[in-house]
Amino acid sequence: MLQCLSDELLSGGFRIFSDLQSGQRPWLELVYQVKGRMTTQLAQMSKGQRLQIWGPLGNSFSNSAVEHLVMVAGGIGQTPFLTLAQEALGGAAYGTPARQNGYASNVYLLYGARSANYFAGLDEFRATGLKLELATDDGSIGPPQRVTDLLKNRLRELSNSSVRVVCCGPEPMMEAVSEIAQHHQVACEVSLETPMACGIGICFTCVAKVKQSDGNWDYKRTCIDGPIFNAPDIVW
């Protein structure tokens, strides 16, 4: 969670794109798109200005062993996947104590955007050793297609294999990814992008409808119960 000190009511949740070490000082890289007051103010800040930051918060993607980990990103939904790919392929370990890493034999990033100039971090992703596939709505890279088209093709090729899908991006895209994964009988986790105000479960502004074991649904707070949920549990 970041908060602009000039406006205590201006805060928001961000995913860590990467963590860097410079000597003994840790650095975090965050990726955002300028859309509202919070990101507009962030874009206008200069070096030396201070922010309040607290975290990490919420839960995490599964790290159980799998042959193929397929990451599906739309818009700026690629932001949680660099560190996940590094962990899954054994290139980095996170947490205290460190989580199990090196649990996927193959990692794919299926990344979709409106146009080629909306892609970000491609070199960083390629450096992890994952398999990168891109889709653009306007055909500026490859034929015009959606990232869900890439997913359908990939799951057909990986049939009869151990596969897990993880997804982040616009809600309609995540719903479509969930349906595709269910059709192929593949486990799927989604990272919800519900706007967060407090980050610690007090304000209830980030709730999502989640199915319960009795068949009904209840509101769950994305900031502390998520942001990662099993896709079939979400009431879209």
Side-chain angles (χ1 to χ4, degrees):
M1 290 291 296
L2 294 182
Q3 183 180 73
C4 296
L5 298 181
S6 60
D7 186 345
E8 293 185 357
L9 297 179
L10 201 57
S11 60
F14 294 82
R15 295 173 179 84
I16 296 172
F17 180 67
S18 69
D19 66 327
L20 308 173
Q21 296 293 327
S22 178
Q24 298 301 311
R25 301 182 62 187
W27 297 82
L28 298 179
E29 283 190 320
L30 306 177
V31 176
Y32 60 91
Q33 185 176 15
V34 179
K35 295 187 71 174
R37 284 181 61 207
M38 176 69 181
T39 50
T40 297
Q41 187 157 333
L42 282 176
Q44 293 171 347
M45 295 183 73
S46 57
K47 183 177 180 179
Q49 289 186 269
R50 291 182 175 270
L51 292 166
Q52 182 168 319
I53 182 171
W54 61 97
L57 304 168
N59 61 0
S60 55
F61 290 105
S62 300
N63 64 338
S64 56
V66 68
E67 186 176 356
H68 303 284
L69 178 64
V70 180
M71 308 185 301
V72 185
I76 59 168
Q78 86 283 8
T79 51
F81 289 144
L82 182 63
T83 53
L84 182 64
Q86 291 169 334
E87 180 188 67
L89 290 169
Y94 301 98
T96 305
R99 284 163 39 104
Q100 172 188 333
N101 66 351
Y103 47 82
S105 301
N106 301 283
V107 175
Y108 306 82
L109 175 60
L110 315 184
Y111 186 3
R114 284 180 286 173
S115 182
N117 59 343
Y118 284 94
F119 290 123
L122 298 185
D123 290 340
E124 290 91 334
F125 282 114
R126 291 188 178 102
T128 67
L130 60 71
K131 299 173 176 64
L132 179 64
E133 300 178 35
L134 303 176
T136 55
D137 294 350
D138 64 359
S140 49
I141 292 182
Q145 60 182 333
R146 300 292 180 90
V147 70
T148 47
D149 297 321
L150 298 180
L151 178 62
K152 292 174 184 177
N153 293 335
R154 178 55 55 193
L155 291 184
R156 280 195 291 266
E157 292 178 4
L158 298 178
S159 61
N160 302 318
S161 301
S162 170
V163 181
R164 181 164 67 249
V165 172
V166 294
C167 178
C168 184
E171 188 169 300
M173 184 210 78
M174 290 195 290
E175 181 179 3
V177 167
S178 175
E179 292 174 354
I180 294 168
Q182 284 187 276
H183 175 75
H184 287 269
Q185 298 182 322
V186 168
C188 180
E189 295 176 329
V190 292
S191 180
L192 298 187
E193 294 190 316
T194 313
M196 302 177 191
C198 76
I200 54 176
I202 296 175
C203 69
F204 282 79
T205 61
C206 66
V207 293
K209 292 180 180 180
V210 179
K211 297 175 187 175
Q212 306 300 293
S213 57
D214 61 3
N216 295 314
W217 62 266
D218 196 5
Y219 284 116
K220 295 294 182 180
R221 292 165 290 183
T222 302
C223 64
I224 60 173
D225 299 312
I228 314 302
F229 293 93
N230 287 322
D233 293 339
I234 301 297
V235 180
W236 298 102

